[in-house]
Amino acid sequence: MRIAALLCLAATASLAQQANPSPVTAEQARNILPRAELSGLTDAQRGVFVAVATEVFNYAGCQDTLARCLAEGQQDAHSVRMAALVKQLSSEGVPASSIVQLVETYYASFAAAERAPVNAENCPTLGKGPVALIEFSDYQCPHCAAALAPLEHLVEQDRKGQVRLCSKYFPFTQHPRARVAAACAEYARGKGKFWELNKILFANQEALEDENLKAYARQVGLDGDDMLKQVYAGRFDAQVEKHRREGMIAGVESTPAIFIEGRRNVLPLRPWYLTFTVDDELQWQKEKGWAFAAAPQGRAKSN
């Protein structure tokens, strides 16, 4: 049985280079990767998983391919968590080659040298916890609006007490009302109403003219006239610009840009991935870092 499994493993070694890896049955998968939990996947999805596992490198654990780290007799816990990430991506129909690139980039981002110089200070903060999640956003960015609900759910429910969200402004010049909206949000922050106004601004991205902004301020119990007076007097310009420049130094080019303790988030902004990456960060802190081997052929380096 072990010989057959090894032969099958060798036969699938080049699958990650193929556009459509061959399907793999549940029995074949158990023979190839006995420590992988692949329930719920179709044969085609298992084929993608096996293709990725034979190609991707397990940087944080036994420091071999994921497939070898999932072999019988291995005890490495990191490879099991890595397998869960590959399984999730495979179940969503992501191509094998894309999974290899994404997973390698993700794990390489944990290294200290890859972490950006961002901090969770002097910003509106939601929740408490040892993991700081910093978000750079633009009030006229639809992707930022879509990210609000899963981020709030992460902080207030899924990982309550473990992660805190720090919101920072990154208005783009092509969005004419984004900077004004950011200044209004900073005004609300000073009045203890940031998160209430923040939600309304994202929910009304197509209506951010002065009269709209004053109406939104009134909805959260603020003086809209006073808010705009201070905004147009430039009282909050320095703070908004400070956030924007910090984002530029960190390499932000699009929003939302998420950093977990300085580590640039590359995973989808959906609940499963958010909880997964926070848990990985907590484990990183608990273990005081992981021992990394050199990436094969430098594949895990960001472009």
Side-chain angles (χ1 to χ4, degrees):
M1 183 67 73
R2 288 176 61 87
I3 295 175
L6 290 172
L7 290 174
C8 193
L9 180 59
T12 56
S14 63
L15 286 179
Q17 305 302 321
Q18 300 177 15
N20 298 299
S22 301
V24 173
T25 67
E27 182 179 359
Q28 288 174 326
R30 283 192 295 269
N31 291 336
I32 299 169
L33 308 169
R35 297 178 66 229
E37 199 289 297
L38 303 182
S39 62
L41 296 184
T42 65
D43 288 0
Q45 291 166 348
R46 277 189 292 269
V48 170
F49 182 96
V50 172
V52 172
T54 57
E55 178 75 9
V56 75
F57 195 74
N58 181 32
Y59 300 95
C62 75
Q63 300 182 353
D64 205 325
T65 63
L66 179 58
R68 291 193 174 95
C69 293
L70 290 171
E72 187 176 356
Q74 289 284 352
Q75 300 296 321
D76 172 47
H78 287 290
S79 61
V80 176
R81 279 193 55 74
M82 187 178 186
L85 176 57
V86 175
K87 176 185 176 181
Q88 183 67 24
L89 291 164
S90 300
S91 74
E92 295 180 2
V94 181
S97 58
S98 297
I99 295 177
V100 169
Q101 182 178 8
L102 177 61
V103 170
E104 289 188 338
T105 300
Y106 171 71
Y107 283 104
S109 73
F110 280 83
E114 297 295 320
R115 297 188 183 236
V118 294
N119 62 72
E121 304 298 327
N122 196 20
C123 56
T125 303
L126 185 66
K128 297 179 180 180
V131 174
L133 192 155
I134 298 96
E135 178 194 21
F136 291 90
S137 61
D138 175 305
Y139 281 110
Q140 289 188 284
C141 161
H143 298 294
C144 298
L148 180 61
L151 288 173
E152 287 187 340
H153 196 273
L154 174 76
V155 171
E156 296 180 325
Q157 297 187 50
D158 287 343
R159 290 299 179 269
K160 184 176 181 179
Q162 296 176 308
V163 61
R164 63 193 189 277
L165 172 63
C166 162
S167 180
K168 297 201 173 187
Y169 314 115
F170 199 85
F172 287 98
T173 56
Q174 61 265 39
H175 292 161
R177 300 299 294 176
R179 186 176 285 268
V180 174
C184 289
E186 185 63 13
Y187 172 90
R189 176 192 173 199
K191 304 292 184 180
K193 295 287 186 176
F194 171 84
W195 294 103
E196 293 89 339
L197 187 61
N198 180 66
K199 183 173 292 187
I200 294 176
L201 293 174
F202 276 127
N204 296 276
Q205 292 182 308
E206 301 302 319
L208 296 177
E209 299 304 321
D210 287 355
E211 290 304 312
N212 304 125
L213 294 171
K214 288 193 289 185
Y216 304 150
R218 288 193 293 271
Q219 288 181 39
V220 299
L222 299 176
D223 186 332
D225 291 319
D226 180 62
M227 178 183 72
L228 286 185
K229 179 180 178 180
Q230 294 194 41
V231 165
Y232 284 119
R235 180 174 176 181
F236 310 106
D237 290 354
Q239 181 66 11
V240 173
E241 183 62 16
K242 181 179 180 180
H243 282 188
R244 193 185 71 85
R245 288 187 178 276
E246 183 183 358
M248 291 178 65
I249 291 171
V252 174
E253 296 180 343
S254 62
T255 54
I258 308 291
F259 295 85
I260 303 97
E261 291 290 331
R263 173 171 55 82
R264 182 67 176 265
N265 180 64
V266 298
L267 300 180
L269 286 174
R270 297 199 294 274
W272 191 95
Y273 296 100
L274 288 169
T275 57
F276 183 90
T277 194
V278 167
D279 288 347
D280 263 356
E281 190 64 35
L282 288 166
Q283 193 66 26
W284 168 273
Q285 293 181 8
K286 180 180 178 180
E287 297 184 22
K288 295 180 171 57
W290 299 327
F292 286 87
Q297 302 176 2
R299 286 198 316 249
K301 298 298 182 183
S302 300
N303 293 327

